[in-house]
Amino acid sequence: MYRYRCERCRTTSPPVRTRPEAEAERDRHRALAHAGHIPDGERIVRQPAPPRPPLATTVKQALATTAVIAALAIAAWVRLLA
């Protein structure tokens, strides 16, 4: 995720997925707010990725999902036998 920051206007764009999208945001801002001029202190910043859950949490979620699927499969199998 990237954001465009204009220090002169003290504004930051909403996050975008790619650097070219942030550059397009920069170009739009320059055209609208600065008549195409390059303001001092502008920059494109990379927003850090959101923190990932601990591995233990991911493993617990996978095991819980597997248990639910297994229970549903067993229930369907028992119904077929009855």
Side-chain angles (χ1 to χ4, degrees):
M1 301 296 276
Y2 294 87
R3 289 177 177 248
Y4 166 71
R5 173 77 181 155
C6 178
E7 288 295 328
R8 182 165 194 158
C9 295
R10 303 194 51 77
T11 185
T12 304
S13 72
V16 293
R17 292 185 158 265
T18 65
R19 185 171 182 91
E21 288 176 302
E23 290 169 354
E25 182 67 31
R26 175 197 64 199
D27 295 343
R28 266 191 303 276
H29 177 79
R30 281 181 185 172
L32 293 172
H34 303 289
H37 294 241
I38 300 171
D40 292 340
E42 74 166 13
R43 63 186 190 273
I44 293 177
V45 292
R46 189 165 190 182
Q47 186 174 348
R52 298 177 71 186
L55 181 60
T57 301
T58 306
V59 170
K60 287 178 188 176
Q61 289 173 343
L63 289 174
T65 303
T66 303
V68 168
I69 292 171
L72 291 173
I74 291 170
W77 183 60
V78 168
R79 269 188 141 185
L80 286 174
L81 292 178

